[in-house]
Amino acid sequence: MSDAPHVFRDISSLRAAVARWRAAGEKIALVPTMGALHAGHVSLVEAARKVAQRTVVSIFVNPAQFAPNEDFDAYPRTFDADLAKLAQAGAAGCFAPPAREIYPEGFSTQIIPGGPALAGLEDRFRPDHFPGVALVVAKLLNQAQADSAFFGEKDFQQLAVIRRFAADLDIPTRIFGVPTLREADGLALSSRNIYLSVAERAQAPLLALVLNETAAAIRSGAAPAQAAAQAALQLGAAGFDVDYLEARHAETLAQIASLEEGPIRLLVAARIGKTRLIDNLAV
Ligand code: PAF
């Protein structure tokens, strides 16, 4: 087990450490999280450590990205367990600021991301979500001033939104996406999987299976929109309540008519019982 990461509670001590590391010729990576860390987060730290000598993981449950009907207070907070995982994973620092450090008295700025943030996917169901994500991620990137930052491809629209606003706002930190970790049966790792009943857990891998079959069909010449619509029907027939299953341009998330027009990503959100699962796959 490596040493416990140094815990930074304020921006100035984080920046001072980053400046010291940089002066010593070290590269710095940032992994933004909201805590409740699992193997997916650890894989982000592992990816970060391949390109940086110092990896800082931020843990901040960001109130700005929760809608009033999404229970901010009930979001799991497991700081001691998180810190033990970060020590194991070899993170150099953990930035865990109190809310007043991020949103001090008088804070009044918003970021309204466009492009992939308005693709009509997650934003259709959670309209306040990406403005809240963009605001906190822009602040974290600016606070840490890292060379690179790592985000999971599991939240594919979020990753596209972050890449877009980071480019638009000339943020120099290089943004990396890390492939989704999966269970042996294909189910994407998610903290929500624990809410699945035994029967739902047995059904859940169908999501990834259907994405794989749909990707294969598109590669064999099926029209993307029709193949995706067919897949949504298949999931519906199997008992999923599908919010969306769409084939989109992998960078812009715009509608796309064929593979000739650019790389395609399949994105799905579906409820099984009370649990909402999201997943995505490259075609
Ligand atoms: O993906 C998450 O955990 C959050 O949306 C992020 C990127 C840490 C911003 O709060």
Side-chain angles (χ1 to χ4, degrees), residues 32-34 62 65 133 136-137 151 155 158:
T33 81
M34 298 207 298
N62 173 34
Q65 69 190 76
V133 169
V136 80
V137 173
F151 299 87
D155 294 299
Q158 168 173 280

Side-chain angles (χ1 to χ4, degrees), residues 38-257:
H38 53 66
H41 297 106
V42 171
S43 77
L44 300 184
V45 177
E46 283 164 358
R49 291 191 64 208
K50 291 199 175 111
V51 303
Q53 286 76 37
R54 304 280 185 169
T55 297
V56 174
V57 177
S58 63
I59 296 183
F60 180 67
V61 185
N62 173 34
Q65 69 190 76
F66 286 78
N69 66 327
E70 296 171 341
D71 203 346
F72 168 74
D73 292 326
Y75 196 85
R77 284 147 174 100
T78 55
F79 188 69
D80 292 343
D82 290 349
L83 219 50
K85 285 182 188 146
L86 294 183
Q88 188 87 44
C94 173
F95 179 45
R100 66 176 179 282
E101 184 73 4
I102 302 291
Y103 301 117
E105 181 87 20
F107 187 91
S108 43
T109 296
Q110 294 185 341
I111 294 185
I112 311 296
L118 303 176
L121 300 166
E122 281 304 292
D123 51 300
R124 198 146 49 91
F125 298 88
R126 307 174 72 193
D128 301 325
H129 183 64
F130 290 124
V133 169
L135 182 62
V136 80
V137 173
K139 283 174 68 70
L140 289 167
L141 293 173
N142 192 30
Q143 289 158 357
Q145 312 208 318
D147 301 287
S148 53
F150 289 75
F151 299 87
E153 285 187 350
K154 167 85 182 350
D155 294 299
F156 197 78
Q157 189 176 4
Q158 168 173 280
L159 176 60
V161 170
I162 291 168
R163 284 191 198 284
R164 183 71 260 167
F165 81 71
D168 289 349
L169 299 179
D170 308 308
I171 293 173
T173 308
R174 190 164 167 210
I175 307 297
F176 285 88
V178 179
T180 304
L181 280 192
R182 294 182 182 277
E183 303 283 3
D185 58 12
L187 178 64
L189 239 61
S190 162
S191 39
R192 294 188 178 180
N193 294 351
I194 54 164
Y195 300 127
L196 298 169
S197 70
V198 173
E200 289 162 358
R201 176 64 189 81
Q203 187 76 330
L206 190 64
L207 215 55
L209 187 69
V210 164
L211 288 184
N212 273 295
E213 287 172 356
T214 309
I218 295 172
R219 283 195 295 271
S220 309
Q226 278 86 331
Q230 185 59 42
L233 287 178
Q234 192 184 337
L235 285 177
F240 286 83
D241 185 3
V242 181
D243 281 348
Y244 58 83
L245 194 164
E246 302 223 11
R248 295 295 184 94
H249 189 288
E251 280 144 35
T252 63
L253 302 188
Q255 310 272 359
I256 186 163

